[in-house]
Amino acid sequence: MAQRTTTLHRADQTSPTVLLLIDVINDLEFDGGEDLLAPALEMAKHLAPLKAKAKAAGIACIHVNDNWGRWRSHFPDIVDGTRGTRGWPVASQLLPEHDDYFVLKAKHSGFRATPLDLLLRHLEARRLIITGLAADNCVLFTASDAYMHEYELVIPRDCVASEQSEWRDAALAHMERVLKARIVRAEDALAVIY
């Protein structure tokens, strides 16, 4: 009898380095969202070209996005929910592409009660380039869990944003000191992995 081959439970690629885009598909319709818009637009200006370069280098890209308490939603619903909102100018620059992966989360960390670690293991990932919103919240919590899962961390300082620059800078300093993250500029993010 011929052996059956299947891709069930396997990612369709391997990617020792993975780019995580945390909560970049975001309506920014919350208290403080108006303060996050300008920094998020600046972040998107650097993150969009980094994502394009990562994809060209064969690096898997995973959107890790909050479900915003919409328990029956799917990722396309999350994208559609940003159209016409304060956050659309940011989200529209970072829309998921057909070959991107996505993980919906309900809390701050992309690892908490999600299949993210399982997906990363199927991709054979060892290093994560972590980007997104907000540096002092969901990015920090995701990076902390990634560190505890023993991934190497690279965080492009211009590809994360917070409502206040001091909050972003404090989070970056913490991730560098405690989580041993390499803090770089977007233009250097891929260079440090080779």
Side-chain angles (χ1 to χ4, degrees), residues 26-153:
N26 195 317
D27 63 16
L28 299 181
E29 298 290 345
F30 51 82
D31 288 342
E34 63 280 357
D35 296 326
L36 187 52
L37 179 58
L41 283 167
E42 183 66 20
M43 172 204 71
K45 181 173 80 174
H46 298 280
L47 181 49
L50 173 60
K51 183 183 180 205
K53 289 176 189 172
K55 291 177 81 73
I59 293 172
C61 297
I62 304 175
H63 283 264
V64 181
N65 227 95
D66 203 293
N67 70 2
W68 313 117
R70 298 177 195 131
W71 292 99
R72 291 188 175 115
S73 61
H74 300 281
F75 202 71
D77 300 329
I78 301 297
V79 173
D80 288 343
T82 64
R83 296 181 196 282
T85 67
R86 179 188 292 140
W88 179 246
V90 176
S92 64
Q93 297 180 60
L94 301 166
L95 292 173
E97 298 170 68
H98 74 282
D99 57 347
D100 290 349
Y101 299 93
F102 61 88
V103 171
L104 286 177
K105 64 184 179 70
K107 287 300 226 176
H108 307 9
S109 172
F111 287 88
R112 173 127 171 89
T114 76
L116 179 59
D117 189 52
L118 182 61
L119 173 56
L120 292 170
R121 295 198 185 283
H122 282 292
L123 290 167
E124 299 178 18
R126 297 185 311 275
R127 180 182 310 105
L128 304 179
I129 302 172
I130 301 180
T131 66
L133 304 172
D136 57 312
N137 196 333
C138 296
V139 170
L140 176 61
F141 283 104
T142 300
S144 295
D145 280 351
Y147 176 73
M148 288 190 290
H149 281 85
E150 300 184 345
Y151 292 101
E152 280 179 53
L153 305 179

